[in-house]
Amino acid sequence: MAKILAFSGSARENSYNQKLVKIAALGASKVGAEVTVINLADYPLPLYNADLEKEQGLPENAKKLKQLMLEHDGLLIASPEYNSAFSALLKNTIDWMSRAESSDEKPLAAYQGKVAAIMAASPGALGGIRGLVFLRNKLFLKLIKHFIKRVF
Ligand SMILES: Cc1cc2nc3c(=O)[nH]c(=O)nc-3n(C[C@H](O)[C@H](O)[C@H](O)COP(=O)(O)O)c2cc1C
């Protein structure tokens, strides 16, 4: 059974994107996936800073999120669109999860072999589509293009 990790790029209470993730997770469960829905509000992280990482290593919440990623086969992500891009919270989370905890860890270990579905919800006229283009291009194709098998 496919294991899916689902989260949104919003920590806002009553976030539309977190609601969308829950609906998508329900759909995935109905067709047989085992879905874990998390809220990034429960995994607060400092803004990525290489000096901080050098001094303190990965924050505990980054380690927890990476572990969750490793335990799942695929991702369901919904992100708000802020000024035509996906959210800073999501970018920061992606950045921390891309970091290795030790020198013998493979690059981008948490992303290897993952399948991802990306979504957006917005009260704006375009429904967040511009942010998704950016997310797909900048995240999945540029950052981890060698490690993602398929992107839906
Ligand atoms: C700083 C800022 C910029 C925004 N830019 C956009 C935008 O470019 N396109 C859009 O559709 N909505 C935009 N919005 C509206 C968000 O889509 C809306 O606040 C949405 O509810 C956020 O997602 P959430 O409900 O999951 O927290 C913006 C909101 C803020 C606060």
Side-chain angles (χ1 to χ4, degrees):
M1 181 188 291
K3 291 186 72 179
I4 307 292
L5 183 64
F7 55 92
S8 81
S10 174
R12 187 175 75 83
E13 210 179 329
N14 295 321
S15 158
Y16 296 129
N17 285 280
Q18 193 66 20
K19 288 176 183 172
L20 177 59
V21 148
K22 285 182 186 166
I23 291 166
L26 199 61
S29 300
K30 279 184 178 165
V31 293
E34 185 183 326
V35 189
T36 309
V37 180
I38 61 169
N39 190 325
L40 293 183
D42 297 325
Y43 300 86
L45 288 166
L47 198 56
Y48 179 79
N49 179 318
D51 293 337
L52 179 73
E53 185 186 17
K54 199 174 170 185
E55 285 162 18
Q56 299 176 17
L58 256 63
E60 280 308 307
N61 282 336
K63 290 182 189 173
K64 285 182 192 169
L65 285 168
K66 275 187 69 181
Q67 187 54 37
L68 277 170
M69 290 266 287
L70 289 166
E71 290 167 2
H72 290 79
D73 308 305
L75 306 172
L76 274 178
I77 304 175
S79 181
E81 181 176 288
Y82 289 136
N83 294 308
S84 310
F86 64 92
S87 72
L89 171 65
L90 181 55
K91 180 66 166 64
N92 193 48
T93 304
I94 287 164
D95 287 345
W96 275 117
M97 289 196 292
S98 71
R99 304 300 297 161
E101 287 167 57
S102 62
S103 54
D104 59 348
E105 184 180 311
K106 285 184 185 168
L108 301 169
Y111 294 96
Q112 287 193 38
K114 295 284 182 290
V115 173
I118 55 176
M119 305 168 284
S122 167
L126 297 179
I129 189 71
R130 293 172 303 180
L132 290 186
V133 174
F134 190 67
L135 178 62
R136 186 179 60 187
N137 289 347
K138 300 300 180 195
L139 168 65
F140 291 99
L141 296 184
K142 187 165 185 290
L143 175 65
I144 55 174
K145 65 179 177 183
H146 299 299
F147 304 103
I148 294 287
K149 303 283 186 226
R150 288 173 291 159
V151 176
F152 297 108

